[in-house]
Amino acid sequence: MFAIGCSDQPQHTFTNELLLPMTPVKDQGDTELCWAYAMLATIETEHLLRGDSVNLSPQYLGRMLKRKNQRAMCQTALNLLQRYGVVGFDVMPDDATSDLPTPKNVFLLGATYTPLEFAHSVCAPDEYVSLTSFPDSPYYKKIEVPIPDNWEHNRLLNVPLDTLRKHVNSALRHRHPVCYESRDHAMTIVGMARDEEHHAYYILKNSWGTNQPYEGLVYMPVRRLWRDVVAIYMTRDAYEGR
C-alpha cells in the first residue's frame, strides 16, 4: 500500500495547482475493495463536475462480486455496474454488515429504479476507456493485463507510457478525474500539486478514511505514480481531450 501521506512519513507543505471536487472520503476498512472505491469515486467526481451529485456504495459492488477473494481490477467495478447495478452509499455504507439486506430498489427524487437502471443513469455502457502500458505487448491493441487481480481476463488498450501520461495530464487539465491502479492499490487522481521545493505531485483520493494526513488525500510524487502504474480509467471525453 502507498505510504505517502501516512503519519510515519515526513510532512511537506503542498501548493495545489489543481484540485477537483470530491464526495467525502470513504473508508474501505479491512476489505480489499479499493478497486470499487477508486472507480466509484471517479464516477462521483465526474458527476460533480457536470453539476450532478451521486454518492455510490462500493460495498454493494463487493457483495455482487460473490467471491471470497475481494481483490480485483477497477475494470471489474465497471463490469459489475453493468451486470448488477449500484445503490446509494446511504443505504449501504462503509460499515454495512452481512446481515443488512441487499437493496432491491433505488429511490431518487420521488422515482423508483432498480440498481441496474440507476447504474445506467450514472455510468453508461462503454463510457469509460481502460488503458494500460506494457512494452512487451503490441501497442494500440487490447491486451489481457498479466496480473493476478485480472482473474476476469479483462483486456485494456495498451499504449506507450508517454502516451498514457499525456492522456492523464490532458484529462486533469480538462477537469476530469482519473482512476489509477497499481499492483497494490487503486485510488482516484483528483489534482496536481508542488511541494516547498517545487517537486511535482499528483493528488489522489484514497479510501482509508479521513484519519490520515491531508484528510484522506495522498500526495504522490509524479515519478512514483508512473513507475507503479498498471491501469488507468477515464471517460471517453477525457481520453479525447474534451
Side-chain angles (χ1 to χ4, degrees):
M1 297 293 186
F2 296 118
I4 298 295
C6 293
S7 57
D8 59 347
Q9 296 294 309
Q11 300 296 291
H12 292 282
T13 300
F14 293 106
T15 299
N16 295 342
E17 297 180 337
L18 169 70
L19 183 61
L20 301 177
M22 294 165 281
T23 54
V25 171
K26 298 180 175 69
D27 190 347
Q28 68 184 77
D30 60 0
T31 71
E32 294 185 284
L33 296 175
C34 63
W35 50 272
Y37 279 81
M39 194 68 245
L40 294 186
T42 305
I43 294 170
E44 290 166 357
T45 287
E46 272 290 341
H47 276 264
L48 288 173
L49 290 163
R50 298 172 190 173
D52 188 16
S53 179
V54 293
N55 199 3
L56 307 172
S57 171
Q59 293 294 328
Y60 177 86
L61 294 189
R63 189 172 292 189
M64 293 300 104
L65 189 64
K66 300 174 184 176
R67 182 182 172 94
K68 287 184 179 179
N69 178 7
Q70 294 176 316
R71 291 184 65 93
M73 293 190 72
C74 297
Q75 182 67 44
T76 300
L78 293 172
N79 297 342
L80 291 170
L81 280 170
Q82 300 307 320
R83 291 185 204 134
Y84 303 108
V86 72
V87 301
F89 182 77
D90 57 336
V91 296
M92 189 167 280
D94 290 334
D95 58 359
T97 55
S98 59
D99 59 347
L100 179 69
T102 302
K104 302 299 183 185
N105 293 291
V106 176
F107 303 98
L108 183 66
L109 301 175
T112 302
Y113 304 90
T114 66
L116 191 57
E117 288 170 337
F118 178 56
H120 287 171
S121 73
V122 299
C123 182
D126 300 323
E127 181 176 347
Y128 279 80
V129 176
S130 306
L131 305 165
T132 190
S133 185
F134 281 85
D136 295 336
S137 298
Y139 287 135
Y140 302 106
K141 295 183 181 294
K142 288 192 174 183
I143 66 167
E144 184 175 316
V145 179
I147 61 171
D149 290 351
N150 191 20
W151 46 265
E152 280 192 310
H153 306 289
N154 292 302
R155 299 177 65 83
L156 282 66
L157 181 64
N158 190 38
V159 299
L161 187 61
D162 283 348
T163 300
L164 190 61
R165 185 184 296 113
K166 288 176 182 176
H167 279 297
V168 168
N169 291 341
S170 173
L172 291 169
R173 285 196 299 270
H174 286 88
R175 297 186 61 78
H176 292 283
V178 175
C179 186
Y180 168 81
E181 184 173 38
S182 75
R183 292 179 184 270
D184 298 317
H185 193 44
M187 295 184 280
T188 302
I189 307 176
V190 292
M192 305 177 80
R194 299 271 178 179
D195 67 12
E196 64 275 12
E197 296 181 352
H198 210 60
H199 296 140
Y201 293 74
Y202 289 103
I203 309 171
L204 296 97
K205 181 184 180 184
N206 203 357
S207 53
W208 296 343
T210 56
N211 190 25
Q212 303 281 337
Y214 315 116
E215 299 181 339
L217 297 180
V218 169
Y219 285 78
M220 185 180 294
V222 165
R223 288 186 179 180
R224 180 173 182 175
L225 185 141
W226 293 115
R227 182 195 70 192
D228 295 341
V229 66
V230 169
I232 290 289
Y233 307 82
M234 63 183 69
T235 63
R236 195 163 298 280
D237 282 350
Y239 178 72
E240 295 174 356
R242 298 198 296 262

